[in-house]
Amino acid sequence: MDDVVMVADRRDGVRFGLSSFALKVIACVCMVVDHIGAYLPGMPEELRWVGRLSMPIFLFLIGWGLRVYA
């Protein structure tokens, strides 16, 4: 089971968050969108912008993993 990376508390005390697996899936989808925008001709530039979100997510996960497991 993955650890919860990002947790927030709502006002009613219920906790919710994203697991590291969920963040990896989001980053991979963003990366695929970036590659589609890069390699298929005629694709809009906005696809590249969406894809640029993947690297900060992966870097966050690397830093979180080093902090927790190192």
Side-chain angles (χ1 to χ4, degrees):
M1 183 169 163
D2 277 339
D3 296 321
V4 175
V5 176
M6 299 172 61
V7 176
D9 290 330
R10 294 193 320 212
R11 291 183 185 180
D12 58 1
V14 177
R15 295 179 66 166
F16 61 95
L18 291 173
S19 67
S20 60
F21 179 75
L23 286 174
K24 289 174 192 172
V25 169
I26 292 168
C28 285
V29 168
C30 289
M31 186 171 50
V32 167
V33 169
D34 181 47
H35 284 83
I36 288 171
Y39 296 115
L40 293 179
M43 289 288 126
E45 187 68 25
E46 287 81 10
L47 292 180
R48 302 298 311 270
W49 298 345
V50 171
R52 302 302 171 157
L53 294 174
S54 63
M55 190 61 186
I57 295 171
F58 282 130
L59 289 176
F60 170 78
L61 288 169
I62 290 170
W64 177 80
L66 287 173
R67 180 173 177 240
V68 171
Y69 295 112

Short mmCIF file of all heavy atoms in Angstrom, two decimals:
data_model
loop_
_atom_site.label_atom_id
_atom_site.label_comp_id
_atom_site.label_asym_id
_atom_site.label_seq_id
_atom_site.Cartn_x
_atom_site.Cartn_y
_atom_site.Cartn_z
N MET A 1 0.85 -1.18 0.00
CA MET A 1 0.00 0.00 0.00
C MET A 1 0.89 1.24 0.00
O MET A 1 1.83 1.34 0.75
CB MET A 1 -0.89 -0.02 1.22
CG MET A 1 -1.85 1.11 1.28
SD MET A 1 -3.04 0.81 2.59
CE MET A 1 -3.66 2.42 2.76
N ASP A 2 0.55 2.19 -0.85
CA ASP A 2 1.34 3.42 -0.94
C ASP A 2 1.05 4.33 0.23
O ASP A 2 -0.03 4.34 0.81
CB ASP A 2 0.99 4.17 -2.23
CG ASP A 2 1.75 3.64 -3.41
OD1 ASP A 2 2.78 3.01 -3.19
OD2 ASP A 2 1.30 3.86 -4.55
N ASP A 3 2.05 5.09 0.59
CA ASP A 3 1.88 6.10 1.62
C ASP A 3 1.14 7.29 1.05
O ASP A 3 1.25 7.60 -0.13
CB ASP A 3 3.24 6.57 2.13
CG ASP A 3 4.01 5.45 2.80
OD1 ASP A 3 3.37 4.66 3.49
OD2 ASP A 3 5.23 5.38 2.59
N VAL A 4 0.40 7.96 1.90
CA VAL A 4 -0.29 9.18 1.48
C VAL A 4 0.73 10.31 1.53
O VAL A 4 1.36 10.55 2.54
CB VAL A 4 -1.50 9.48 2.37
CG1 VAL A 4 -2.12 10.80 2.00
CG2 VAL A 4 -2.52 8.36 2.26
N VAL A 5 0.89 10.97 0.39
CA VAL A 5 1.90 12.02 0.27
C VAL A 5 1.35 13.37 0.69
O VAL A 5 1.96 14.08 1.47
CB VAL A 5 2.41 12.09 -1.19
CG1 VAL A 5 3.38 13.23 -1.35
CG2 VAL A 5 3.05 10.78 -1.57
N MET A 6 0.20 13.71 0.17
CA MET A 6 -0.37 15.03 0.44
C MET A 6 -1.68 14.83 1.20
O MET A 6 -2.59 14.19 0.70
CB MET A 6 -0.62 15.78 -0.87
CG MET A 6 0.64 16.02 -1.67
SD MET A 6 0.32 16.71 -3.29
CE MET A 6 -0.47 18.22 -2.89
N VAL A 7 -1.77 15.38 2.40
CA VAL A 7 -2.96 15.22 3.23
C VAL A 7 -3.45 16.60 3.63
O VAL A 7 -2.66 17.48 3.96
CB VAL A 7 -2.67 14.38 4.49
CG1 VAL A 7 -3.89 14.31 5.38
CG2 VAL A 7 -2.21 13.00 4.11
N ALA A 8 -4.74 16.77 3.61
CA ALA A 8 -5.34 18.02 4.06
C ALA A 8 -6.51 17.68 4.96
O ALA A 8 -7.15 16.64 4.81
CB ALA A 8 -5.79 18.85 2.87
N ASP A 9 -6.80 18.54 5.91
CA ASP A 9 -7.94 18.37 6.79
C ASP A 9 -9.03 19.35 6.41
O ASP A 9 -8.76 20.55 6.24
CB ASP A 9 -7.54 18.63 8.25
CG ASP A 9 -6.64 17.56 8.80
OD1 ASP A 9 -6.75 16.41 8.35
OD2 ASP A 9 -5.81 17.88 9.67
N ARG A 10 -10.22 18.83 6.27
CA ARG A 10 -11.35 19.72 6.03
C ARG A 10 -11.82 20.26 7.38
O ARG A 10 -11.39 19.81 8.43
CB ARG A 10 -12.48 18.97 5.34
CG ARG A 10 -12.13 18.54 3.95
CD ARG A 10 -13.31 18.08 3.15
NE ARG A 10 -14.26 17.29 3.91
CZ ARG A 10 -14.98 16.32 3.39
NH1 ARG A 10 -14.87 16.02 2.13
NH2 ARG A 10 -15.85 15.66 4.12
N ARG A 11 -12.71 21.21 7.34
CA ARG A 11 -13.19 21.82 8.59
C ARG A 11 -13.95 20.83 9.46
O ARG A 11 -13.98 20.97 10.68
CB ARG A 11 -14.07 23.01 8.27
CG ARG A 11 -13.30 24.16 7.69
CD ARG A 11 -14.15 25.34 7.47
NE ARG A 11 -13.37 26.36 6.79
CZ ARG A 11 -13.83 27.52 6.45
NH1 ARG A 11 -15.08 27.83 6.70
NH2 ARG A 11 -13.05 28.38 5.84
N ASP A 12 -14.56 19.81 8.84
CA ASP A 12 -15.31 18.84 9.64
C ASP A 12 -14.41 17.72 10.17
O ASP A 12 -14.89 16.77 10.76
CB ASP A 12 -16.46 18.25 8.84
CG ASP A 12 -16.01 17.58 7.54
OD1 ASP A 12 -14.81 17.55 7.26
OD2 ASP A 12 -16.89 17.09 6.82
N GLY A 13 -13.09 17.84 9.96
CA GLY A 13 -12.15 16.89 10.52
C GLY A 13 -11.84 15.69 9.64
O GLY A 13 -11.04 14.84 10.01
N VAL A 14 -12.45 15.60 8.47
CA VAL A 14 -12.19 14.48 7.57
C VAL A 14 -10.89 14.74 6.82
O VAL A 14 -10.68 15.82 6.28
CB VAL A 14 -13.37 14.29 6.57
CG1 VAL A 14 -13.06 13.18 5.60
CG2 VAL A 14 -14.64 14.02 7.33
N ARG A 15 -10.02 13.74 6.80
CA ARG A 15 -8.74 13.89 6.10
C ARG A 15 -8.85 13.27 4.72
O ARG A 15 -9.50 12.25 4.53
CB ARG A 15 -7.64 13.19 6.88
CG ARG A 15 -7.39 13.84 8.22
CD ARG A 15 -6.33 13.13 8.96
NE ARG A 15 -5.09 13.31 8.23
CZ ARG A 15 -3.91 13.05 8.70
NH1 ARG A 15 -3.78 12.59 9.91
NH2 ARG A 15 -2.82 13.24 7.98
N PHE A 16 -8.21 13.90 3.76
CA PHE A 16 -8.16 13.36 2.41
C PHE A 16 -6.80 13.68 1.84
O PHE A 16 -6.09 14.56 2.33
CB PHE A 16 -9.28 13.93 1.53
CG PHE A 16 -9.22 15.42 1.36
CD1 PHE A 16 -8.59 15.98 0.26
CD2 PHE A 16 -9.78 16.26 2.30
CE1 PHE A 16 -8.53 17.35 0.10
CE2 PHE A 16 -9.73 17.63 2.14
CZ PHE A 16 -9.10 18.18 1.06
N GLY A 17 -6.40 12.96 0.81
CA GLY A 17 -5.09 13.22 0.22
C GLY A 17 -4.86 12.38 -1.02
O GLY A 17 -5.73 11.67 -1.49
N LEU A 18 -3.66 12.49 -1.55
CA LEU A 18 -3.24 11.74 -2.73
C LEU A 18 -2.11 10.80 -2.35
O LEU A 18 -1.17 11.20 -1.66
CB LEU A 18 -2.75 12.69 -3.83
CG LEU A 18 -3.80 13.56 -4.50
CD1 LEU A 18 -3.13 14.54 -5.44
CD2 LEU A 18 -4.77 12.70 -5.27
N SER A 19 -2.19 9.59 -2.83
CA SER A 19 -1.10 8.66 -2.58
C SER A 19 0.02 8.93 -3.57
O SER A 19 -0.17 9.62 -4.59
CB SER A 19 -1.59 7.22 -2.73
OG SER A 19 -1.93 6.95 -4.07
N SER A 20 1.17 8.38 -3.29
CA SER A 20 2.29 8.55 -4.22
C SER A 20 1.98 7.87 -5.55
O SER A 20 2.38 8.36 -6.60
CB SER A 20 3.58 8.00 -3.62
OG SER A 20 3.45 6.63 -3.33
N PHE A 21 1.23 6.78 -5.53
CA PHE A 21 0.84 6.12 -6.77
C PHE A 21 -0.06 7.02 -7.61
O PHE A 21 0.11 7.12 -8.83
CB PHE A 21 0.13 4.80 -6.48
CG PHE A 21 -0.31 4.08 -7.72
CD1 PHE A 21 0.61 3.42 -8.52
CD2 PHE A 21 -1.63 4.07 -8.10
CE1 PHE A 21 0.22 2.77 -9.67
CE2 PHE A 21 -2.04 3.43 -9.25
CZ PHE A 21 -1.11 2.77 -10.04
N ALA A 22 -1.01 7.70 -6.97
CA ALA A 22 -1.91 8.60 -7.71
C ALA A 22 -1.12 9.74 -8.34
O ALA A 22 -1.39 10.13 -9.49
CB ALA A 22 -2.98 9.14 -6.77
N LEU A 23 -0.14 10.29 -7.61
CA LEU A 23 0.67 11.36 -8.18
C LEU A 23 1.51 10.85 -9.35
O LEU A 23 1.70 11.56 -10.35
CB LEU A 23 1.57 11.96 -7.11
CG LEU A 23 0.89 12.87 -6.10
CD1 LEU A 23 1.85 13.27 -5.01
CD2 LEU A 23 0.30 14.08 -6.77
N LYS A 24 2.01 9.62 -9.25
CA LYS A 24 2.79 9.05 -10.36
C LYS A 24 1.91 8.86 -11.60
O LYS A 24 2.36 9.11 -12.72
CB LYS A 24 3.40 7.72 -9.95
CG LYS A 24 4.52 7.85 -8.96
CD LYS A 24 4.97 6.48 -8.49
CE LYS A 24 5.88 6.59 -7.29
NZ LYS A 24 6.19 5.29 -6.69
N VAL A 25 0.68 8.43 -11.41
CA VAL A 25 -0.24 8.25 -12.54
C VAL A 25 -0.54 9.60 -13.19
O VAL A 25 -0.53 9.72 -14.42
CB VAL A 25 -1.53 7.54 -12.09
CG1 VAL A 25 -2.59 7.59 -13.17
CG2 VAL A 25 -1.24 6.10 -11.70
N ILE A 26 -0.80 10.61 -12.38
CA ILE A 26 -1.06 11.95 -12.93
C ILE A 26 0.14 12.46 -13.71
O ILE A 26 0.01 13.00 -14.81
CB ILE A 26 -1.42 12.93 -11.79
CG1 ILE A 26 -2.77 12.55 -11.19
CG2 ILE A 26 -1.43 14.37 -12.27
CD1 ILE A 26 -3.09 13.27 -9.89
N ALA A 27 1.35 12.27 -13.17
CA ALA A 27 2.57 12.71 -13.85
C ALA A 27 2.78 11.93 -15.15
O ALA A 27 3.20 12.52 -16.16
CB ALA A 27 3.77 12.56 -12.93
N CYS A 28 2.51 10.64 -15.15
CA CYS A 28 2.69 9.85 -16.37
C CYS A 28 1.70 10.26 -17.45
O CYS A 28 2.06 10.34 -18.64
CB CYS A 28 2.55 8.37 -16.07
SG CYS A 28 3.97 7.66 -15.23
N VAL A 29 0.47 10.55 -17.06
CA VAL A 29 -0.52 11.01 -18.04
C VAL A 29 -0.09 12.36 -18.62
O VAL A 29 -0.17 12.57 -19.85
CB VAL A 29 -1.92 11.11 -17.40
CG1 VAL A 29 -2.90 11.84 -18.29
CG2 VAL A 29 -2.44 9.71 -17.08
N CYS A 30 0.40 13.26 -17.79
CA CYS A 30 0.90 14.55 -18.28
C CYS A 30 2.07 14.35 -19.23
O CYS A 30 2.17 15.04 -20.25
CB CYS A 30 1.32 15.43 -17.12
SG CYS A 30 -0.04 16.07 -16.14
N MET A 31 2.95 13.41 -18.92
CA MET A 31 4.10 13.16 -19.77
C MET A 31 3.67 12.59 -21.13
O MET A 31 4.23 12.97 -22.17
CB MET A 31 5.07 12.20 -19.09
CG MET A 31 6.36 12.00 -19.83
SD MET A 31 7.60 11.08 -18.90
CE MET A 31 6.70 9.67 -18.35
N VAL A 32 2.69 11.72 -21.14
CA VAL A 32 2.18 11.17 -22.41
C VAL A 32 1.57 12.29 -23.25
O VAL A 32 1.78 12.35 -24.47
CB VAL A 32 1.17 10.04 -22.15
CG1 VAL A 32 0.41 9.67 -23.40
CG2 VAL A 32 1.89 8.82 -21.58
N VAL A 33 0.83 13.18 -22.60
CA VAL A 33 0.25 14.32 -23.33
C VAL A 33 1.35 15.18 -23.93
O VAL A 33 1.26 15.64 -25.08
CB VAL A 33 -0.67 15.14 -22.39
CG1 VAL A 33 -1.07 16.46 -23.03
CG2 VAL A 33 -1.90 14.34 -22.03
N ASP A 34 2.43 15.40 -23.19
CA ASP A 34 3.56 16.17 -23.69
C ASP A 34 4.19 15.49 -24.90
O ASP A 34 4.51 16.15 -25.90
CB ASP A 34 4.60 16.35 -22.59
CG ASP A 34 5.79 17.17 -23.03
OD1 ASP A 34 5.57 18.23 -23.64
OD2 ASP A 34 6.93 16.75 -22.79
N HIS A 35 4.36 14.18 -24.85
CA HIS A 35 4.97 13.48 -25.98
C HIS A 35 4.06 13.47 -27.20
O HIS A 35 4.54 13.54 -28.33
CB HIS A 35 5.34 12.06 -25.57
CG HIS A 35 6.57 12.00 -24.73
ND1 HIS A 35 6.53 12.21 -23.38
CD2 HIS A 35 7.86 11.78 -25.05
CE1 HIS A 35 7.76 12.11 -22.91
NE2 HIS A 35 8.59 11.85 -23.89
N ILE A 36 2.76 13.41 -26.98
CA ILE A 36 1.82 13.50 -28.11
C ILE A 36 1.96 14.87 -28.76
O ILE A 36 2.00 14.98 -29.99
CB ILE A 36 0.38 13.25 -27.64
CG1 ILE A 36 0.19 11.78 -27.30
CG2 ILE A 36 -0.63 13.68 -28.70
CD1 ILE A 36 -1.13 11.46 -26.63
N GLY A 37 2.01 15.92 -27.95
CA GLY A 37 2.16 17.27 -28.50
C GLY A 37 3.49 17.49 -29.19
O GLY A 37 3.60 18.30 -30.11
N ALA A 38 4.53 16.75 -28.76
CA ALA A 38 5.86 16.95 -29.34
C ALA A 38 6.05 16.20 -30.65
O ALA A 38 6.70 16.71 -31.56
CB ALA A 38 6.92 16.52 -28.34
N TYR A 39 5.50 15.02 -30.75
CA TYR A 39 5.85 14.16 -31.88
C TYR A 39 4.79 14.04 -32.96
O TYR A 39 5.09 13.55 -34.05
CB TYR A 39 6.22 12.77 -31.36
CG TYR A 39 7.46 12.81 -30.51
CD1 TYR A 39 7.42 12.50 -29.17
CD2 TYR A 39 8.69 13.20 -31.04
CE1 TYR A 39 8.54 12.56 -28.37
CE2 TYR A 39 9.82 13.27 -30.26
CZ TYR A 39 9.74 12.94 -28.93
OH TYR A 39 10.86 13.01 -28.15
N LEU A 40 3.57 14.44 -32.70
CA LEU A 40 2.56 14.42 -33.74
C LEU A 40 2.44 15.81 -34.36
O LEU A 40 2.24 16.80 -33.64
CB LEU A 40 1.21 13.98 -33.18
CG LEU A 40 1.13 12.53 -32.70
CD1 LEU A 40 -0.25 12.25 -32.15
CD2 LEU A 40 1.47 11.55 -33.79
N PRO A 41 2.57 15.90 -35.67
CA PRO A 41 2.52 17.22 -36.30
C PRO A 41 1.13 17.84 -36.21
O PRO A 41 0.11 17.15 -36.27
CB PRO A 41 2.90 16.93 -37.76
CG PRO A 41 2.70 15.48 -37.96
CD PRO A 41 2.81 14.83 -36.63
N GLY A 42 1.11 19.13 -36.05
CA GLY A 42 -0.15 19.87 -36.04
C GLY A 42 -0.85 19.91 -34.70
O GLY A 42 -1.98 20.40 -34.61
N MET A 43 -0.23 19.41 -33.66
CA MET A 43 -0.85 19.43 -32.34
C MET A 43 -0.71 20.82 -31.72
O MET A 43 0.28 21.51 -31.94
CB MET A 43 -0.20 18.40 -31.42
CG MET A 43 -0.50 16.98 -31.77
SD MET A 43 -2.20 16.59 -31.35
CE MET A 43 -2.77 15.99 -32.91
N PRO A 44 -1.69 21.25 -30.94
CA PRO A 44 -1.60 22.59 -30.34
C PRO A 44 -0.50 22.66 -29.27
O PRO A 44 -0.16 21.67 -28.63
CB PRO A 44 -2.97 22.79 -29.71
CG PRO A 44 -3.55 21.43 -29.57
CD PRO A 44 -2.94 20.59 -30.65
N GLU A 45 0.02 23.84 -29.08
CA GLU A 45 1.10 24.07 -28.12
C GLU A 45 0.65 23.84 -26.68
O GLU A 45 1.47 23.56 -25.81
CB GLU A 45 1.64 25.50 -28.29
CG GLU A 45 2.85 25.82 -27.48
CD GLU A 45 4.10 25.06 -27.93
OE1 GLU A 45 4.17 24.65 -29.10
OE2 GLU A 45 4.98 24.87 -27.08
N GLU A 46 -0.64 23.94 -26.42
CA GLU A 46 -1.16 23.75 -25.07
C GLU A 46 -0.89 22.35 -24.55
O GLU A 46 -0.77 22.13 -23.34
CB GLU A 46 -2.66 24.05 -25.01
CG GLU A 46 -3.01 25.51 -25.12
CD GLU A 46 -3.00 26.02 -26.56
OE1 GLU A 46 -2.90 25.21 -27.49
OE2 GLU A 46 -3.08 27.25 -26.72
N LEU A 47 -0.78 21.37 -25.44
CA LEU A 47 -0.46 20.01 -25.00
C LEU A 47 0.93 19.97 -24.38
O LEU A 47 1.16 19.23 -23.41
CB LEU A 47 -0.53 19.03 -26.17
CG LEU A 47 -1.92 18.76 -26.75
CD1 LEU A 47 -1.81 17.77 -27.90
CD2 LEU A 47 -2.86 18.26 -25.70
N ARG A 48 1.84 20.74 -24.90
CA ARG A 48 3.19 20.81 -24.32
C ARG A 48 3.14 21.46 -22.94
O ARG A 48 3.88 21.08 -22.04
CB ARG A 48 4.14 21.58 -25.23
CG ARG A 48 4.31 21.05 -26.63
CD ARG A 48 4.90 19.64 -26.70
NE ARG A 48 6.09 19.41 -25.92
CZ ARG A 48 7.33 19.59 -26.33
NH1 ARG A 48 7.56 20.01 -27.56
NH2 ARG A 48 8.35 19.33 -25.56
N TRP A 49 2.28 22.45 -22.76
CA TRP A 49 2.17 23.11 -21.47
C TRP A 49 1.66 22.15 -20.40
O TRP A 49 2.16 22.15 -19.27
CB TRP A 49 1.25 24.31 -21.55
CG TRP A 49 1.70 25.40 -22.48
CD1 TRP A 49 2.96 25.55 -23.02
CD2 TRP A 49 0.92 26.45 -22.99
NE1 TRP A 49 2.98 26.65 -23.83
CE2 TRP A 49 1.75 27.22 -23.85
CE3 TRP A 49 -0.40 26.82 -22.84
CZ2 TRP A 49 1.28 28.34 -24.50
CZ3 TRP A 49 -0.86 27.94 -23.50
CH2 TRP A 49 -0.02 28.70 -24.32
N VAL A 50 0.66 21.35 -20.76
CA VAL A 50 0.12 20.36 -19.82
C VAL A 50 1.21 19.36 -19.47
O VAL A 50 1.36 18.96 -18.31
CB VAL A 50 -1.10 19.65 -20.42
CG1 VAL A 50 -1.53 18.48 -19.56
CG2 VAL A 50 -2.25 20.62 -20.60
N GLY A 51 1.99 18.97 -20.45
CA GLY A 51 3.02 17.98 -20.22
C GLY A 51 4.15 18.46 -19.33
O GLY A 51 4.83 17.66 -18.69
N ARG A 52 4.34 19.76 -19.26
CA ARG A 52 5.43 20.29 -18.43
C ARG A 52 5.13 20.17 -16.93
O ARG A 52 6.01 20.39 -16.12
CB ARG A 52 5.69 21.77 -18.76
CG ARG A 52 6.05 22.01 -20.21
CD ARG A 52 7.27 21.23 -20.59
NE ARG A 52 7.47 21.30 -22.04
CZ ARG A 52 8.61 21.13 -22.62
NH1 ARG A 52 9.67 20.86 -21.91
NH2 ARG A 52 8.70 21.19 -23.92
N LEU A 53 3.93 19.78 -16.57
CA LEU A 53 3.60 19.57 -15.16
C LEU A 53 4.20 18.28 -14.60
O LEU A 53 4.32 18.12 -13.39
CB LEU A 53 2.09 19.53 -14.98
CG LEU A 53 1.32 20.80 -15.28
CD1 LEU A 53 -0.17 20.54 -15.19
CD2 LEU A 53 1.73 21.89 -14.31
N SER A 54 4.58 17.37 -15.47
CA SER A 54 5.05 16.07 -15.00
C SER A 54 6.38 16.16 -14.26
O SER A 54 6.57 15.48 -13.25
CB SER A 54 5.14 15.07 -16.16
OG SER A 54 6.09 15.49 -17.11
N MET A 55 7.30 16.96 -14.71
CA MET A 55 8.62 17.01 -14.08
C MET A 55 8.57 17.54 -12.64
O MET A 55 9.18 16.93 -11.76
CB MET A 55 9.58 17.84 -14.94
CG MET A 55 11.00 17.73 -14.48
SD MET A 55 11.53 16.02 -14.60
CE MET A 55 13.13 16.13 -13.88
N PRO A 56 7.85 18.62 -12.35
CA PRO A 56 7.77 19.04 -10.94
C PRO A 56 7.13 18.00 -10.04
O PRO A 56 7.52 17.85 -8.88
CB PRO A 56 6.93 20.32 -10.99
CG PRO A 56 7.07 20.83 -12.35
CD PRO A 56 7.25 19.63 -13.24
N ILE A 57 6.15 17.26 -10.56
CA ILE A 57 5.53 16.21 -9.75
C ILE A 57 6.54 15.11 -9.46
O ILE A 57 6.65 14.64 -8.32
CB ILE A 57 4.27 15.66 -10.45
CG1 ILE A 57 3.19 16.74 -10.56
CG2 ILE A 57 3.73 14.45 -9.69
CD1 ILE A 57 2.01 16.34 -11.43
N PHE A 58 7.28 14.67 -10.48
CA PHE A 58 8.29 13.64 -10.27
C PHE A 58 9.39 14.12 -9.31
O PHE A 58 9.84 13.36 -8.45
CB PHE A 58 8.91 13.19 -11.59
CG PHE A 58 8.05 12.24 -12.37
CD1 PHE A 58 7.78 12.48 -13.71
CD2 PHE A 58 7.53 11.10 -11.80
CE1 PHE A 58 7.00 11.60 -14.44
CE2 PHE A 58 6.75 10.21 -12.52
CZ PHE A 58 6.48 10.47 -13.85
N LEU A 59 9.81 15.37 -9.44
CA LEU A 59 10.84 15.90 -8.53
C LEU A 59 10.32 15.98 -7.09
O LEU A 59 11.06 15.69 -6.14
CB LEU A 59 11.31 17.27 -9.00
CG LEU A 59 12.15 17.27 -10.27
CD1 LEU A 59 12.48 18.70 -10.68
CD2 LEU A 59 13.41 16.45 -10.10
N PHE A 60 9.06 16.35 -6.93
CA PHE A 60 8.46 16.35 -5.60
C PHE A 60 8.48 14.95 -5.01
O PHE A 60 8.82 14.77 -3.84
CB PHE A 60 7.02 16.88 -5.66
CG PHE A 60 6.27 16.68 -4.39
CD1 PHE A 60 6.48 17.52 -3.32
CD2 PHE A 60 5.36 15.65 -4.26
CE1 PHE A 60 5.80 17.33 -2.12
CE2 PHE A 60 4.67 15.45 -3.08
CZ PHE A 60 4.88 16.30 -2.00
N LEU A 61 8.12 13.95 -5.81
CA LEU A 61 8.11 12.58 -5.30
C LEU A 61 9.51 12.07 -4.97
O LEU A 61 9.69 11.34 -4.00
CB LEU A 61 7.43 11.65 -6.32
CG LEU A 61 5.92 11.82 -6.42
CD1 LEU A 61 5.39 11.07 -7.63
CD2 LEU A 61 5.24 11.37 -5.15
N ILE A 62 10.51 12.48 -5.74
CA ILE A 62 11.89 12.10 -5.43
C ILE A 62 12.31 12.72 -4.10
O ILE A 62 12.87 12.04 -3.23
CB ILE A 62 12.85 12.53 -6.57
CG1 ILE A 62 12.62 11.66 -7.80
CG2 ILE A 62 14.29 12.44 -6.11
CD1 ILE A 62 13.34 12.16 -9.03
N GLY A 63 12.03 14.00 -3.92
CA GLY A 63 12.38 14.67 -2.67
C GLY A 63 11.63 14.09 -1.49
O GLY A 63 12.21 13.89 -0.41
N TRP A 64 10.36 13.79 -1.65
CA TRP A 64 9.57 13.20 -0.57
C TRP A 64 10.11 11.81 -0.22
O TRP A 64 10.23 11.47 0.95
CB TRP A 64 8.12 13.11 -1.01
CG TRP A 64 7.25 12.46 0.02
CD1 TRP A 64 6.73 13.04 1.14
CD2 TRP A 64 6.80 11.12 0.02
NE1 TRP A 64 5.99 12.13 1.83
CE2 TRP A 64 6.00 10.92 1.16
CE3 TRP A 64 6.98 10.04 -0.86
CZ2 TRP A 64 5.41 9.72 1.46
CZ3 TRP A 64 6.37 8.84 -0.55
CH2 TRP A 64 5.61 8.68 0.59
N GLY A 65 10.47 11.03 -1.23
CA GLY A 65 11.00 9.70 -0.98
C GLY A 65 12.34 9.75 -0.25
O GLY A 65 12.60 8.95 0.65
N LEU A 66 13.19 10.69 -0.62
CA LEU A 66 14.47 10.84 0.07
C LEU A 66 14.27 11.26 1.52
O LEU A 66 14.99 10.80 2.41
CB LEU A 66 15.35 11.85 -0.66
CG LEU A 66 15.94 11.37 -1.99
CD1 LEU A 66 16.64 12.53 -2.69
CD2 LEU A 66 16.90 10.22 -1.76
N ARG A 67 13.32 12.13 1.74
CA ARG A 67 13.08 12.61 3.10
C ARG A 67 12.49 11.50 3.98
O ARG A 67 12.86 11.37 5.14
CB ARG A 67 12.12 13.79 3.07
CG ARG A 67 11.80 14.35 4.41
CD ARG A 67 10.98 15.62 4.30
NE ARG A 67 10.63 16.08 5.62
CZ ARG A 67 9.39 16.23 6.05
NH1 ARG A 67 8.39 15.99 5.24
NH2 ARG A 67 9.15 16.65 7.26
N VAL A 68 11.59 10.71 3.44
CA VAL A 68 10.92 9.69 4.23
C VAL A 68 11.76 8.44 4.40
O VAL A 68 11.84 7.88 5.50
CB VAL A 68 9.55 9.34 3.58
CG1 VAL A 68 8.92 8.14 4.25
CG2 VAL A 68 8.62 10.52 3.64
N TYR A 69 12.42 7.99 3.34
CA TYR A 69 13.08 6.69 3.36
C TYR A 69 14.60 6.73 3.50
O TYR A 69 15.22 5.69 3.60
CB TYR A 69 12.70 5.91 2.10
CG TYR A 69 11.24 5.59 2.06
CD1 TYR A 69 10.39 6.19 1.12
CD2 TYR A 69 10.68 4.71 2.97
CE1 TYR A 69 9.05 5.89 1.10
CE2 TYR A 69 9.34 4.42 2.95
CZ TYR A 69 8.52 5.01 2.01
OH TYR A 69 7.18 4.73 1.99
N ALA A 70 15.20 7.92 3.47
CA ALA A 70 16.66 7.97 3.57
C ALA A 70 17.12 8.28 4.97
O ALA A 70 16.46 8.70 5.83
CB ALA A 70 17.21 9.01 2.63
#
